[in-house]
Amino acid sequence: MTSPGDHLDPDFDLVVDTGAAFVDGAFRSAAIGVRGGLIAAIEPVGAPLRARSRVTIPPGERLIPGLVDTHVHVNEPGRTEWEGFASATQAAAAGGVTTILDMPLNSIPPTIDPDALAMKRAAAATQSFVDVGFWGGAVPGNSGRLRLLHDAGVFGFKCFLAPSGVDEFPHLDPAGLTSALEELAEFDGLLIVHAEDPAVLAAHENAGGSSYRRFVASRPPEAELTAIERVIDGVRATGGRAHILHLSSASALPLIADAKAEGLRVTVETCPHYLTLDAEHIPDGATEFKCCPPIRDEANRDRLWEGLLDATIDLVVSDHSPATAELKLGFDGDFGRAWGGISGLQLGLANVWTEASRRGISLDRVLGWMSSAPAAFVGLERKGGIALGADADLVAFAPDAEFTVEPAALAHRNPVSAYAGARLRGVVAGTWLRGRPVGDEPRGVLLERGGALGGA
């Protein structure tokens, strides 16, 4: 419920009254006062806060901080038919995500130099409905020049240790990985790594086809384990920082836990599809489920949840990697030919919350993994929480409401979803970006490491 303010000279632009705001790690009743896009007051409900407008969150909904998704493939410019900043950021807002970080591929050109970064920013500046930051890329061709992108404000550098799937973003060999870690250590840059070993993949390569079991066998856990071990060895040797992207195989968890206990600066993420789907329930020919590394078996999924609960895994992000329906579904169910990637930006919160609640895990844990932890990971100090001085990125969330996923009703550009027909728990009823409702006008700001560039 929204009402205009009663005072001609208000102290706040907006006040949100709620019986359940997520503040200081717990839900409590509060009146949240917003001024100049920031949270300027957290008072008891009914406090005499004068505001231009006032919103009352109804019973059954909770006020939570906007999610921060640090792993999104927007694909613009160059492959905008796959997604694009307008559709991606509208999908984000609809799913309770108020900040995204865009991956350096699969756009053309990839974000591997300052000129390409400028093109990305120009594309995003006038059509983003949530705040957007950018990763750079570490590829064989830009070795020795990563500082230029770092100084231009990217949050870190993505690399692949096996072929990426697109020719314009080649992978690093072992020497290239060491070189990138050494170069980034000079200015404390962050390397984020798609960790699969190409030799292991080559040894398990098969002819493809419609069998999901054969597809999983072509990308075994050993591929992740071998590559992650190489990353950890590189961090140990260089003193650098590295982050393991989209962990699929739980077999790597002991290795990662040991690295953390050793004091190495290694972090790791996993994704909603690895936490909510399993190989036993993926039909042959259902290429909408193809991603790399793959969705593995149910026992593996359970161990990933254990890795979250014991803090071996640091955060949960979408790895939203969309493509056209033709690329995902147009090869007669051949997993060897279909594009690999899960389109899940809008559904991440509902997916994880549905499975978490089934397991008896509280919403506050989910918010830690999907909001405060990703914000802290990339140094966005004003994101990820409802706190004084934070950006007023707020979401009204109905945790007990349910809906059925209809791909055509999602804001993603292409109506392809691995969750089609799924019954999910948790509905986003409203999203505010810096205290203003996300609506028909893009107001997202472009973020750089340590601050904002400005935006629409």
Side-chain angles (χ1 to χ4, degrees), residues 16-376:
V16 182
D17 289 301
T18 174
F22 190 63
V23 178
D24 294 332
F27 284 97
R28 63 180 175 88
S29 62
I32 310 297
V34 178
R35 183 189 307 117
L38 303 178
I39 296 172
I42 302 175
E43 300 290 342
V45 169
L49 305 180
R50 300 179 300 169
R52 291 186 175 88
S53 64
R54 199 165 194 124
V55 173
T56 299
I57 304 298
E61 295 178 12
R62 301 185 184 189
L63 190 70
I64 64 174
L67 271 57
V68 177
D69 192 336
T70 57
H71 195 149
V72 178
H73 294 266
V74 176
N75 306 325
E76 185 176 8
R79 291 190 175 98
T80 310
E81 70 274 13
W82 293 16
E83 191 61 273
F85 284 102
S87 56
T89 55
Q90 285 175 305
V97 178
T98 52
T99 302
I100 67 169
L101 263 61
D102 174 54
M103 284 290 163
L105 75 163
N106 299 297
S107 57
I108 303 174
T111 315
I112 56 175
D113 57 50
D115 288 342
L117 175 62
M119 292 178 66
K120 274 279 187 84
R121 286 173 169 162
T126 60
Q127 55 176 333
S128 294
F129 289 78
V130 301
D131 290 352
V132 180
F134 303 90
W135 295 105
V139 298
N142 67 354
S143 177
R145 299 193 301 275
L146 299 180
R147 184 64 184 256
L148 296 174
L149 268 173
H150 179 82
D151 290 346
V154 299
F155 284 81
F157 299 85
K158 181 176 186 176
C159 73
F160 280 74
L161 302 188
S164 70
V166 292
D167 292 340
E168 65 272 7
F169 202 94
H171 68 284
L172 298 179
D173 62 16
L177 171 64
T178 299
S179 176
L181 284 167
E182 289 175 342
E183 183 177 352
L184 295 177
E186 294 176 0
F187 49 88
D188 201 32
L190 172 65
L191 189 68
I192 63 174
V193 185
H194 181 123
E196 289 183 286
D197 182 78
V200 175
L201 295 179
H204 290 81
E205 186 176 6
N206 59 44
S210 64
S211 168
Y212 185 73
R213 180 177 296 181
R214 280 175 55 82
F215 169 63
V216 175
S218 74
R219 306 189 88 97
E222 292 80 9
E224 289 186 81
L225 192 62
T226 300
I228 290 169
E229 188 170 21
R230 183 173 297 127
V231 173
I232 291 172
D233 288 345
V235 169
R236 183 183 295 111
T238 63
R241 290 192 292 152
H243 176 76
I244 305 301
L245 298 166
H246 46 54
L247 182 70
S248 157
S249 174
S251 64
L253 290 172
L255 184 65
I256 294 166
D258 287 347
K260 290 185 171 189
E262 187 182 337
L264 301 180
R265 295 192 293 170
V266 176
T267 52
V268 61
E269 67 187 43
T270 194
C271 306
H273 41 280
Y274 300 129
L275 296 170
T276 62
L277 303 173
D278 61 78
E280 289 90 338
H281 292 90
I282 295 178
D284 288 345
T287 51
E288 62 267 34
F289 293 93
K290 179 183 176 180
C291 57
C292 300
I295 297 163
R296 305 191 189 277
D297 59 51
E298 191 171 359
N300 180 83
R301 182 188 65 183
D302 291 343
R303 289 171 61 202
L304 290 176
W305 278 100
E306 292 171 5
L308 275 169
L309 291 170
D310 69 16
T312 302
I313 299 174
D314 298 276
L315 50 112
V316 179
V317 289
S318 70
D319 188 13
H320 177 67
S321 186
T324 62
E326 291 75 17
L327 285 172
K328 281 297 289 181
L329 307 175
F331 299 101
D332 298 321
D334 187 338
F335 281 95
R337 299 170 63 199
W339 177 258
I342 301 294
S343 182
L345 177 57
Q346 185 171 337
L347 299 173
L349 174 58
N351 270 311
V352 176
W353 169 236
T354 298
E355 183 65 18
S357 60
R358 186 182 74 83
R359 293 170 179 266
I361 298 170
S362 63
L363 181 57
D364 63 297
R365 299 296 301 272
V366 172
L367 296 176
W369 298 325
M370 302 187 76
S371 188
S372 59

